[in-house]
Amino acid sequence: MERSFQSAEQLSAALRAGAVTSRELTEEAIARIERDDKAINAICVRTFDRARAAARRADDMRARGEDRPLLGIPVTVKESYNIAGLPTTWGMPQHADFVPAEDALQVSRLEAAGAVVLGKTNVPLVLRDIQSFNEIYGTTNNPWDHDRTSGGSSGGSAAALAAGFGALSLGSDLAGSLRTPAHFCGIYAHKPTLGLAPTRGMVAPPAPALPVELDLAVVGPMARTARDLTLLLDVMAGPDPLTHGIGYDIALPPARHERLSDFRVLIVDEHPLIPTGSAVRAGVNRVAEALADAGARVERHTPLLPDMTEAATLYMLLMLSNAAAGLPVDVYEQLRTRAASLSADDGSLDAARLRGMVLSHRGWVEANNRREHHRHGWRQLFAEFDVVVCPITPTPAFPHDHNDGLENRHIDIDGVEYPYFDQLVWAGMATMPGLPATAIPTGRSPEGLPVGVQLIGPMFEDRTPLRLAELLEEKIGGFQAP
């Protein structure tokens, strides 16, 4: 395999054996970016001089006998993370010149582990799209088909990995922002359990980098192999030293099983609120068949699964109440008027999103209490199953669509149009209750586009879906270069 597409694990082994230097790996990565990224536009902020200096330090450290988990490995970082001296814009033109004074905590952990940062990757405006496009840096194209999106909001990171621009990337996820780009670009990503990896410094400008505990949103690893996800998650996980880290450390339990045949898996490929496209359904079935062939217990129905319609509604309420918190007062009042005019029996996701944008604190507490009932339901389900396999979105990557407002767009599912944001219900299955979910590639659609699924696991048992991802990679194959 060409070295630019090798895993971080493989590159670390080569570095330890003296078969290659970090400087060589870094120059190869820089040359590939300079050659190929004009067509893809994944790396929006290049840090090549810094990377060369970091690579020299890594080689010097190794020559002294030192070693670290990611020593000398070229990586990228999502634009939304603060890196001292570099712009953090979240795609907002009014903050194009914002430059933070200190690194995000996860960037500090990445560099402490010895990684070499090649640059920052592109994002959508305010991270609020399933595509990666903004007025400052333009559009990121899918390496498999430049006319299609690479996903969002970690679309630049996913495209970079698929194109061979570094071995790992830092992403984030609120509405599938790790998992959807992985699915669209044919790579791996892991949405950690809520709160497992601290988010300090992954903040919209010009807000200060405070150690806040976000609702729903997480930061997480992206890679070209399942084992590399665990490698990077182990660097990222653990409490913020400014808050919980004062009092405790982390000790994740091991994976529940080490063999495919021992896993108990629930397959869910239908949602009551949106259909599953044929290409994605085929991807789910490929995983189900591989599991059954290996002797795993595979089931498709259980009364233990929490109500998917209520879960999707809660997800929209909680997500939009957060997203709309900073709206100007006049806009908020207009939304309140619109929400008040909704019929009481309007149970559509559009209605849930509108109600969420004007949710009162009393309403949020009620929704949060309902969320706790769902979490309890998931605990009961995971007493009988180890992992749930389901779609990430209903379709493979779709053509670029930057027209109109987000609320006016649609997604084409096998020839029928549905509201653009309704496709987020699959991402919300894991996000609303805060569960870990690993995105894995499962092959390609009839058009040759990557198709992925997510493996949802029990809270704080991240190693269970990650281990299943490793075993499935061996069984059905993994990343393929475009």
Side-chain angles (χ1 to χ4, degrees):
M1 179 188 291
E2 190 176 348
R3 204 150 54 190
S4 292
F5 290 104
Q6 288 184 339
S7 68
E9 186 178 47
Q10 290 171 319
L11 296 178
S12 289
L15 286 164
R16 292 188 179 103
V20 70
T21 66
S22 179
R23 278 174 285 191
E24 289 172 329
L25 293 180
T26 300
E27 290 299 340
E28 288 176 11
I30 289 172
R32 177 172 284 273
I33 293 169
E34 290 178 332
R35 186 189 74 199
D36 296 342
D37 197 40
K38 184 176 181 180
I40 298 171
N41 193 34
I43 313 296
C44 60
V45 179
R46 298 181 177 186
T47 58
F48 293 165
D49 289 342
R50 291 185 181 206
R52 290 182 172 109
R56 287 193 296 271
R57 289 194 298 271
D59 288 337
D60 290 344
M61 291 171 64
R62 196 172 295 282
R64 295 193 299 267
E66 297 183 42
D67 198 8
R68 298 183 185 185
L70 304 177
L71 187 60
I73 303 297
V75 306
T76 59
V77 173
K78 188 174 181 177
E79 200 271 354
S80 51
Y81 287 82
N82 286 345
I83 299 182
L86 299 176
T88 297
T89 71
W90 288 43
M92 295 185 281
Q94 67 269 34
H95 296 302
D97 297 323
F98 178 78
V99 177
E102 62 181 10
D103 292 342
L105 176 57
Q106 293 299 345
V107 173
S108 297
R109 288 182 174 180
L110 195 66
E111 294 184 336
V116 175
V117 177
L118 298 166
K120 302 182 79 175
T121 59
N122 202 22
V123 297
L125 177 66
V126 203
L127 312 190
R128 292 178 185 169
D129 200 348
I130 309 165
Q131 307 174 74
S132 291
F133 163 82
N134 62 77
E135 293 182 15
I136 301 173
Y137 298 120
T139 301
T140 297
N141 299 319
N142 192 310
W144 289 85
D145 180 345
H146 294 175
D147 292 329
R148 294 176 184 264
T149 179
S150 62
S153 62
S154 306
S157 289
L161 287 164
F165 305 160
L168 302 166
S169 194
L170 293 183
S172 65
D173 193 310
L174 167 67
S177 290
L178 284 158
R179 293 161 285 164
T180 298
H183 159 46
F184 285 175
C185 293
I187 63 149
Y188 290 80
H190 181 70
K191 185 199 90 65
T193 297
L194 182 66
L196 176 60
T199 61
R200 175 161 52 95
M202 213 288 296
V203 59
L210 301 175
V212 298
E213 294 182 49
L214 300 178
D215 189 26
L216 301 175
V218 301
V219 294
M222 307 179 77
R224 285 189 293 269
T225 71
R227 288 174 64 87
D228 276 0
L229 290 180
T230 298
L231 179 68
L232 183 50
L233 181 66
D234 285 346
V235 169
M236 300 179 71
D240 191 316
L242 297 185
T243 53
H244 296 295
I246 296 170
Y248 60 81
D249 202 349
I250 194 163
L252 293 179
R256 290 186 176 187
H257 309 292
E258 288 297 323
R259 300 182 303 176
L260 275 179
S261 58
D262 293 333
F263 276 85
R264 304 165 299 168
V265 180
L266 176 66
I267 305 293
V268 181
D269 64 358
E270 295 183 356
H271 199 286
L273 298 179
I274 197 167
T276 302
S278 56
V280 169
R281 188 185 300 276
V284 175
N285 286 334
R286 278 194 291 273
V287 173
E289 290 164 6
L291 288 164
D293 181 67
R297 173 186 155 198
V298 179
E299 297 188 20
R300 289 182 177 268
H301 303 283
T302 176
L304 295 172
L305 183 66
D307 184 88
M308 296 172 72
T309 297
E310 183 184 36
T313 302
L314 282 174
Y315 174 56
M316 296 298 175
L317 285 172
L318 293 166
M319 179 171 62
L320 270 297
S321 69
N322 183 298
L327 290 174
V329 173
D330 59 332
V331 175
Y332 179 78
E333 291 301 327
Q334 293 172 18
L335 291 170
R336 284 185 63 185
T337 301
R338 286 175 54 198
S341 69
L342 289 170
S343 170
D345 59 1
D346 187 346
S348 68
L349 292 177
D350 275 340
R353 286 186 283 268
L354 181 54
R355 291 180 179 121
M357 285 190 280
V358 296
L359 198 64
S360 67
H361 181 62
R362 177 188 177 94
W364 187 92
V365 170
E366 179 185 343
N368 188 51
N369 288 338
R370 289 160 62 198
R371 169 166 52 181
E372 289 302 332
H373 284 285
H374 276 257
R375 284 176 172 157
H376 184 62
W378 280 101
R379 281 191 288 269
Q380 293 175 310
L381 182 146
F382 284 124
E384 297 294 327
F385 296 93
D386 303 307
V387 169
V388 173
V389 176
C390 65
I392 297 168
T393 70
T395 70
F398 51 84
H400 296 298
D401 179 7
H402 306 145
N403 300 317
D404 301 320
L406 296 173
E407 68 280 0
N408 296 322
R409 295 182 195 160
H410 292 83
I411 181 72
D412 183 303
I413 304 176
D414 291 345
V416 180
E417 290 192 342
Y418 294 86
Y420 188 68
F421 278 133
D422 282 10
Q423 64 186 300
L424 299 184
V425 295
W426 285 115
M429 275 191 68
T431 299
M432 187 273 288
L435 301 173
T438 306
I440 68 168
T442 66
R444 283 178 279 178
S445 72
E447 296 82 15
L449 298 170
V451 174
V453 302
Q454 60 181 330
L455 315 176
I456 301 176
M459 185 169 280
F460 289 108
E461 294 191 53
D462 294 58
R463 299 198 191 281
T464 291
L466 284 166
R467 178 57 179 155
L468 181 57
E470 293 178 20
L471 294 169
L472 285 169
E473 185 175 11
E474 297 170 5
K475 179 75 173 174
I476 65 174
F479 169 79
Q480 296 177 349

